[in-house]
Amino acid sequence: MTSLKFPIRAAERRGSSQCARSRKWWRGARVQASDVETPSARTNFWQRGAPSMRSVRAVVDVGVGAVLLPARKIARRAGIDVRRRIWAVTGAALAMGAMVLGAPAHAIEVGDTVALPSLTLLDGKTLSASAFKDRTVIVEYWASWCPFCAQQNPHVQKLYEATRGKPIQIVTLSIDKKPQEAVDYMKAHGYTFPAGMENDAWQAALGKRRGLPELYVIGRNGKVLRKEVGEMFGEDVAALADYAGK
């Protein structure tokens, strides 16, 4: 297996031809097997590699030696270790990127204000954003495989039937991987309440879920009036009708 080490000082002595060869070698560099977490990832570094920080540092070192040799000579005279400086900056950038990408989305809470987007329902119809205007909206997250959702959804269906004609809109979001699983579930149980698939727009509006089922009551002004994480008793679901028009 090719090593990721590169003789920086030798390259400096040999000049630009060595730089060109080192750049070519760098582009074809491969990570060591010991630096990769899984066997399937032991392939080209740029295509599928899952390198450790040691591998990343080795590649950065190679890049510094291949591209910035003249700069290093000048910087050394000024007492600056360019390779160490660049690695420090690169490491900080990688760490910051990891924090940004890995940071959980903000979960909305009672008192927050949200703007709900339109939703394509499982039957192909579209529930436009205007359907939520001047109405209390009840949003429920569920999944066909969730046992607690299976206990709560019959009560949601009763609530939907009991609030027809009132200023209240019920909308439910399935987190199933395949829409057909949600469609089959709805048909099997005879549910008619509006249901669609969770999507990026709704994730952006409501933030990160904390559990299943999860239910929100959103007032006419867009403010979250209530949030429930976990299964609710039947009488509590029925009592949500009192929020109509609020």
Side-chain angles (χ1 to χ4, degrees), residues 1-207:
M1 190 71 69
T2 305
S3 173
L4 284 178
K5 295 181 179 179
F6 172 69
I8 300 296
R9 293 184 178 178
E12 292 176 352
R13 293 194 296 268
R14 293 171 188 172
S16 60
S17 61
Q18 180 66 33
C19 293
R21 288 197 297 274
S22 64
R23 284 196 296 271
K24 182 178 180 181
W25 177 88
W26 180 34
R27 287 195 294 268
R30 291 176 181 271
V31 289
Q32 295 283 8
S34 61
D35 289 339
V36 185
E37 296 179 358
T38 60
S40 63
R42 293 171 185 169
T43 183
N44 188 277
F45 179 84
W46 303 113
Q47 293 177 352
R48 294 179 55 199
S52 66
M53 292 304 291
R54 184 177 66 181
S55 298
V56 174
R57 178 165 186 171
V59 172
V60 171
D61 286 348
V62 170
V64 172
V67 181
L68 299 178
L69 289 179
R72 289 189 73 243
K73 285 184 177 181
I74 297 172
R76 183 179 291 112
R77 293 178 181 177
I80 301 172
D81 188 338
V82 175
R83 183 172 64 175
R84 186 167 296 177
R85 289 289 183 88
I86 290 183
W87 168 244
V89 173
T90 304
L94 290 172
M96 184 172 292
M99 288 190 294
V100 172
L101 293 176
H106 172 68
I108 64 169
E109 301 294 343
V110 174
D112 291 343
T113 300
V114 299
L116 300 177
S118 60
L119 178 67
T120 300
L121 303 178
L122 295 176
D123 59 7
K125 298 178 181 179
T126 298
L127 190 63
S128 65
S130 61
F132 309 129
K133 187 176 181 181
D134 293 329
R135 308 186 79 181
T136 303
V137 182
I138 295 177
V139 182
E140 183 208 36
Y141 280 103
W142 60 275
S144 62
W145 43 263
C146 170
F148 306 106
C149 304
Q151 295 294 322
Q152 179 167 295
N153 280 339
H155 304 299
V156 174
Q157 177 64 32
K158 291 179 181 178
L159 176 66
Y160 174 65
E161 295 173 353
T163 56
R164 285 183 176 179
K166 296 183 178 180
I168 192 168
Q169 176 66 58
I170 295 176
V171 56
T172 68
L173 301 170
S174 168
I175 66 166
D176 285 290
K177 292 184 177 180
K178 299 179 180 179
Q180 192 58 46
E181 295 174 345
V183 171
D184 293 342
Y185 175 86
M186 294 285 291
K187 289 182 178 179
H189 293 83
Y191 295 144
T192 58
F193 51 74
M197 301 299 295
E198 181 189 39
N199 55 44
D200 293 342
W202 281 82
Q203 287 178 1
L206 298 179

